[in-house]
Amino acid sequence: METKINSKALKAEALRLGFSACGIAPAEPIDQAHQNALKMWLDADRQAGMTYMANHFDKRCDPALLVEGTRCVVSVALNYYPATRIPDEEYQFAWYAYGKDYHDLMREKLATLFRFIQESDVPELNGRMFCDTAPVPERYWAWRAGLGWIGKNTQLIIPHAGSTFFLGELFLNTEADTYDRPQPNRCGRCNRCLQACPTKALETPYSLNAHRCLSYLTIENKSEIPDSIAPFMGNRVYGCDECQKACPWNRFATPCRTPELQPSPEFMNMKKEDWKQLSEEKYRALFKGSAVKRAKYSGLIRNIRQMED
C-alpha cells in the first residue's frame, strides 16, 4: 500500500516552523473559471511590463505539467504584518520589504518542512518548493488548500488574520491522507479596497491593472513613472499597501514576530533628507539581503526624485 502524507503531522510541523497557516490540495488542473479569468486578464494586457506572466500558461494551470508526477500541493503562509511602521510623514516602503528577503526565508522553511515529511512519512518523497519563483498561481493554491479566499484587491485573505502573508508551496509526488476544502469568499458588498486605491488600478473587483498600480510602477517597472500617475504617489517610494490598509479583515492582523522579517533600526531611522542623499554604497549596505534590491538603486532613486518634481 502506498504511504500517504500524514496531513495532521505536516500541519503541526509547519506551525512549529513559524508558518501562520498550512493546507493541502490535490494536484488537479486549476478550475476553468480561474483559467478563463487569467486568460482574459492577460489578453487585456493588464500585466503591463510583467511579460513573464504570459509564459508557460499550460504549466501555470496544471501542477503536473510544471513538475511531473505531482499529486498534491502543500500551501503555506507566513505573516509579515509590521509591529512598527515608518512614520506617515517619511517616505513609505511596502510592509513586506521591511525585513530580509522573504524568498530566502521561505525557501529555508519549506526545505525543512520537506525533509520532515520525507523522514517521518515518505522516504521516497520527491518534489519541488516554490515561493514567487515559478509560474505558480500561489493565491489560487492557497485558496484551493483552504487557507482563505482571494479578495477583491486580488490578495489572499485569511479569515480573522488578514492579507499580510507571504505564500509558498510544495509540489509533491505523493498523496495526502486528507485534503482541505476551499473557503467561501467573504468580501460581501465591501469595496473599500477599490475606493482606497490611489490610482484606481483596481478597475473592477478581483482585477488589477498593473499599468496603474503603484506597486508595479515603483518596483517592477523599468521606465519612468507616467506623468498621469506620479501625482498620486504621495510618499510611496517602494510599493503600496493602501488596498490592504483599507481591508476590514486586516483589523485582525497580528504583528509579525519572525526575527528575519524585523526592520533594522538604521532603516527605520532614515529620514527624507537621508533618502535624497542616498549613495549606491549606502543603498547596498542598507538593503543587503533585502527584497528592495528588486527595484535596484536606479529604480529607488528614480522614485525618490519623483517626490521632488
Side-chain angles (χ1 to χ4, degrees):
M1 180 180 294
E2 179 186 15
T3 303
K4 294 187 177 183
I5 295 168
N6 183 325
S7 59
K8 184 176 181 180
L10 183 156
K11 292 176 184 178
E13 177 65 7
L15 296 179
R16 189 193 71 81
L17 290 172
F19 288 119
S20 310
C22 177
I24 313 174
E28 303 166 344
I30 70 173
D31 65 52
Q32 198 61 51
H34 282 84
Q35 287 195 41
N36 293 344
L38 175 59
K39 190 174 188 308
M40 288 176 61
W41 185 75
L42 292 169
D43 288 346
D45 188 37
R46 295 293 189 263
Q47 75 274 29
M50 296 179 288
T51 54
Y52 58 84
M53 292 293 296
N55 297 338
H56 309 294
F57 185 86
D58 291 344
K59 291 181 179 180
R60 195 178 292 274
C61 294
D62 188 344
L65 292 180
L66 181 61
V67 181
E68 186 178 356
T70 300
R71 299 179 70 182
C72 81
V73 176
V74 176
S75 178
V76 294
L78 179 65
N79 178 27
Y80 66 81
Y81 187 76
T84 58
R85 302 186 195 178
I86 297 171
D88 291 342
E89 66 271 15
E90 302 297 342
Y91 289 149
Q92 298 295 306
F93 286 72
W95 294 337
Y96 85 86
Y98 274 24
K100 295 298 183 183
D101 192 335
Y102 65 95
H103 297 92
D104 300 330
L105 178 61
M106 291 290 284
R107 277 195 294 265
E108 179 183 336
K109 289 182 179 293
L110 283 167
T112 303
L113 184 59
F114 181 90
R115 288 194 298 271
F116 170 83
I117 305 167
Q118 193 173 45
E119 293 169 3
S120 61
D121 284 331
V122 192
E124 68 277 15
L125 185 74
N126 283 308
R128 286 181 61 186
M129 65 191 76
F130 301 103
C131 175
D132 196 21
T133 52
V136 176
E138 296 191 309
R139 283 163 286 188
Y140 172 86
W141 285 111
W143 165 75
R144 186 65 185 79
L147 270 61
W149 70 93
I150 300 172
K152 292 180 181 178
N153 61 359
T154 75
Q155 302 297 308
L156 182 86
I157 301 174
I158 298 179
H160 304 293
S163 61
T164 54
F165 293 91
F166 299 123
L167 301 177
E169 302 78 36
L170 292 175
F171 281 24
L172 304 176
N173 67 340
T174 304
E175 291 188 359
D177 56 6
T178 59
Y179 292 110
D180 296 286
R181 294 182 178 181
Q183 296 204 24
N185 188 303
R186 303 181 189 179
C187 285
R189 297 181 179 179
C190 179
N191 284 314
R192 293 184 192 179
C193 57
L194 278 73
Q195 296 165 0
C197 180
T199 61
K200 305 307 176 188
L202 289 165
E203 295 177 333
T204 59
Y206 313 108
S207 183
L208 174 74
N209 185 345
H211 287 282
R212 302 185 60 82
C213 177
L214 289 177
S215 285
Y216 165 75
L217 290 168
T218 58
I219 301 174
E220 298 274 353
N221 169 46
K222 307 306 179 189
S223 305
E224 291 300 312
I225 294 172
D227 291 340
S228 60
I229 298 294
F232 299 99
M233 288 178 66
N235 279 344
R236 306 174 194 90
V237 295
Y238 185 91
C240 177
D241 287 311
E242 296 307 315
C243 65
Q244 297 200 98
K245 292 176 183 177
C247 179
W249 287 98
N250 278 320
R251 71 182 184 274
F252 298 109
T254 57
C256 165
R257 300 302 179 191
T258 305
E260 295 90 339
L261 298 178
Q262 303 307 312
S264 69
E266 187 176 19
F267 170 73
M268 295 300 286
N269 289 332
M270 290 283 287
K271 307 297 182 185
K272 285 184 177 179
E273 287 306 312
D274 300 321
W275 290 116
K276 291 174 183 177
Q277 299 172 28
L278 184 70
S279 67
E280 189 162 1
E281 181 181 10
K282 174 74 171 179
Y283 164 86
R284 289 175 178 171
L286 194 61
F287 295 117
K288 183 179 180 181
S290 164
V292 174
K293 290 169 67 176
R294 185 163 183 84
K296 296 185 169 40
Y297 174 73
S298 58
L300 184 59
I301 291 300
R302 173 203 61 193
N303 299 341
I304 293 170
R305 286 176 177 165
Q306 189 71 60
M307 301 291 102
E308 302 176 42
D309 294 342

